Amino acid sequence: NEDRRKEMAKQIKKIVEDAKVAIRLVRRDANELLKQAQKDKAISEDENKRYQDEVQKLTDDYIAKTDKTGAEKEKEIMTI
């Protein structure tokens, strides 16, 4: 029934938000590794900046994919 579908849609939103938090945590860990590598002189400041930009781009891509998938699933549930 409709109440059950709304409840499932709320669960989907929570799952999507949890996935986005996990993606951001991976970004944070990657950036910390890059900072440590720069501190240890393994990479230059320019390389660090370039890699952080790449990490941010990947983060944005995966968050967009997560949002899109969540929206599709929510729509699918609400139309059944």
Side-chain angles (χ1 to χ4, degrees):
N1 63 29
E2 186 176 342
D3 290 338
R4 178 73 178 135
R5 287 194 300 263
K6 286 181 181 179
E7 183 180 321
M8 290 176 69
K10 283 183 184 179
Q11 288 177 340
I12 288 172
K13 287 180 183 180
K14 183 183 181 327
I15 291 168
V16 167
E17 190 56 40
D18 290 346
K20 288 164 56 173
V21 168
I23 292 166
R24 290 185 197 112
L25 290 174
V26 170
R27 175 189 60 193
R28 186 193 67 194
D29 292 345
N31 286 338
E32 287 177 3
L33 287 173
L34 289 170
K35 286 178 189 176
Q36 187 61 43
Q38 181 184 351
K39 184 178 177 184
D40 295 342
K41 306 289 186 208
I43 61 173
S44 70
E45 188 175 337
D46 289 341
E47 288 174 317
N48 182 19
K49 177 68 173 147
R50 186 167 27 100
Y51 293 143
Q52 283 188 0
D53 289 345
E54 183 65 25
V55 167
Q56 183 61 47
K57 181 178 177 243
L58 288 169
T59 300
D60 293 343
D61 289 346
Y62 280 102
I63 285 179
K65 287 178 185 178
T66 302
D67 283 337
K68 181 179 180 213
T69 302
E72 288 171 355
K73 289 296 177 185
E74 189 176 340
K75 182 179 176 187
E76 179 182 325
I77 286 173
M78 295 307 285
T79 57
I80 293 176

